Amino acid sequence: MTRKYDFNSGCYDDIITLPHHKSKTHPQMAIGNRAAQFSPFAALGGYEDALEETGRLTDTRAVLEEDAKAALDEKLRMIQEKIEAHPQVTVKYFVPDERKEGGAYKSVSGSVKKIDGYGNVLVMEEGVKIPLGEIAEIEGTIFGT
């Protein structure tokens, strides 16, 4: 059986005028901290980040045809021949995404420092290392483009 209380009956008349209790041992909580107790609870922590990551678009890696691969090899050979002159080029290459399938194409312009055959990278003067297998295009005055 549930009891119903009638707050107008006067049953709290003896305590209604008493001052609010303040603890002698515990300091009063700041208003901002009290409000934080009632802030919304995120039951699905990270859900917003997961949605954002899923919605982020990536490019697919283009597969180069044999003639395009041969042209790139020829350009790399020309760069290697004139490496002492540090030829100025613009390299477009694919950067795989760390979190999901695909990636993005990036372009870097500058002078070539070296072609590292062991590491399979093209090293720019600025320190950028471009994997040879990810290069999609190379342009520069050395090639007449």
Side-chain angles (χ1 to χ4, degrees):
M1 176 186 214
T2 58
R3 291 178 138 177
K4 290 189 177 182
Y5 293 99
D6 182 10
F7 296 108
N8 295 324
S9 68
C11 62
Y12 292 105
D13 287 345
D14 58 336
I15 63 169
I16 198 76
T17 58
L18 292 177
H20 178 73
H21 172 73
K22 291 187 181 180
S23 173
K24 294 176 184 174
T25 57
H26 301 289
Q28 189 172 3
M29 185 182 284
I31 292 175
N33 291 342
R34 285 186 51 128
Q37 292 179 352
F38 303 102
S39 65
F41 173 67
L44 300 174
Y47 181 69
E48 292 293 323
D49 293 337
L51 277 179
E52 186 177 310
E53 178 63 24
T54 302
R56 189 172 54 86
L57 299 177
T58 57
D59 293 329
T60 56
R61 178 185 283 131
V63 178
L64 296 178
E65 296 193 16
E66 290 304 315
D67 58 337
K69 287 180 185 178
L72 277 176
D73 287 343
E74 179 61 23
K75 288 180 178 183
L76 288 169
R77 186 191 60 74
M78 291 171 72
I79 291 171
Q80 186 65 43
E81 284 178 359
K82 301 190 185 218
I83 202 74
E84 297 298 322
H86 300 284
Q88 295 285 323
V89 296
T90 299
V91 181
K92 180 180 174 184
Y93 63 101
F94 186 77
V95 179
D97 194 288
E98 295 177 357
R99 296 188 193 145
K100 61 195 291 187
E101 189 175 326
Y105 279 95
K106 191 173 180 182
S107 290
V108 173
S109 295
S111 57
V112 178
K113 182 176 180 180
K114 70 177 182 175
I115 297 175
D116 182 359
Y118 294 111
N120 265 351
V121 292
L122 177 76
V123 182
M124 304 296 280
E125 284 289 335
E126 301 79 25
V128 177
K129 294 181 179 180
I130 304 168
L132 295 177
E134 302 296 347
I135 296 175
E137 286 179 18
I138 304 175
E139 296 177 350
T141 56
I142 188 175
F143 317 115
T145 57

